[in-house]
Structure formats: C-alpha cells, structure tokens
Amino acid sequence: KIADRLSEKLPAASNKQQTAKREENTSLQKTSAVNNGANTEKTSKTKAKETMENKNPDIAIEDFSIDRGKETKVKFKLVNKKDENHKLQGRLAIVAFGSNKKNAASYPLMKLSNGMPKNFGKGEWYSIKWFKIVEGKLGKDKGFKTIKVIVYSLKGEVILEREFPI
C-alpha cells in the first residue's frame, strides 16, 4: 500500500525508473540463484572426483626416483599437503617386488606377509610439517618389477599406498 501511495505522488518518469529497477533487481536475483546452484553442483562434483583419485589428500609422494646400480635405491619426497600447523607423523615402508611376491625386499629390512610388512612399527619414522626426503636401499636387484610405498599413521592404519612400476 505504501508503494502504491508513493507511486501516485511521484512523477511518471520517476515511476518508470522504479519499475525498471525492480525488474533489474529481480532479474539479478534469479541469475545469482542460478549461478550459485551451478557453482555448488560443479564444486561438489570436483570434490568427489578428487576424493576418489586421492584417498588421503593430506599426504602425498612427489619426485619419486629409482637408481638401479649395484643395489636398488629409491628416493622421494613425502609431502604434507594440509598445512605447516598440522604435523603428520607415523611410519613408512618401501617394498620391491619381482614378477612374483617371493622375490621381495623391503626398506627398512622387515618381515613381509603377502607383500605387506608384518609389523608396521619397524618402518621408518616420519614427522613432517612441510616435507621429508626419504631415501631407501633395497639391496641387490632381484628382478624387481614394482616398488610399493606404504605410509602408516601413528595407529598403524595405512593412509597412503602407492605402487610404482620399474
């Protein structure tokens, strides 16, 4: 009712401007709502895809390299992807496999069962704010075909397991 009274008192030019502004605002609100819906949908799809590709986005392996000289040496960077205020700690193991699981070696040296360390507590300790360079020696090459890096939490849960073909 107030809007009707104001429009009666305002000149015609002013009335047209108000109508145009109301239509423009309504149009902007509709566009904004559509865009927000599209952005939300795109974001959720992207997050789902990232989660499927990387089971633990807080930790990663970068710059992986293998030296197959007299003995097999592995080097990589274990990276904290979360932030430097959140320290990641646990144990890790590197396991090399031949064409069958019988030709396997580990760093650090430990007993294996079906290609996995029997006791994660024997793995190399890590505590990282940013990153840690890991260098492991796997001994003489026994026809290794694959190298697996297994990263454990403090509780012994596998938080990252990644295989690298040789």
Side-chain angles (χ1 to χ4, degrees), residues 98-166:
S99 54
N100 59 26
K101 299 220 176 182
K102 290 180 183 175
N103 290 339
S106 69
Y107 171 82
L109 189 58
M110 60 182 81
K111 291 183 181 182
L112 302 173
S113 175
N114 295 325
M116 292 293 283
K118 282 188 175 183
N119 182 357
F120 84 94
K122 302 248 184 201
E124 182 175 320
W125 171 256
Y126 71 87
S127 178
I128 52 176
K129 282 189 172 188
W130 294 283
F131 66 90
K132 175 184 179 164
I133 302 293
V134 178
E135 295 180 288
K137 295 179 183 178
L138 295 162
K140 188 178 177 184
D141 192 334
K142 301 174 186 174
F144 299 136
K145 303 287 183 199
T146 306
I147 293 182
K148 183 190 294 188
V149 177
I150 307 158
V151 182
Y152 297 94
S153 70
L154 286 172
K155 296 177 183 176
E157 300 162 337
V158 176
I159 58 172
L160 178 64
E161 184 175 346
R162 192 159 165 207
E163 285 192 20
F164 298 90
I166 299 179

Side-chain angles (χ1 to χ4, degrees), residues 2 5 26 30 61 72 74 76 87 99 103 118-119 155:
I2 294 173
R5 286 184 200 163
T26 305
K30 286 179 184 176
I61 295 172
T72 304
V74 176
F76 59 89
K87 189 186 295 187
S99 54
N103 290 339
K118 282 188 175 183
N119 182 357
K155 296 177 183 176

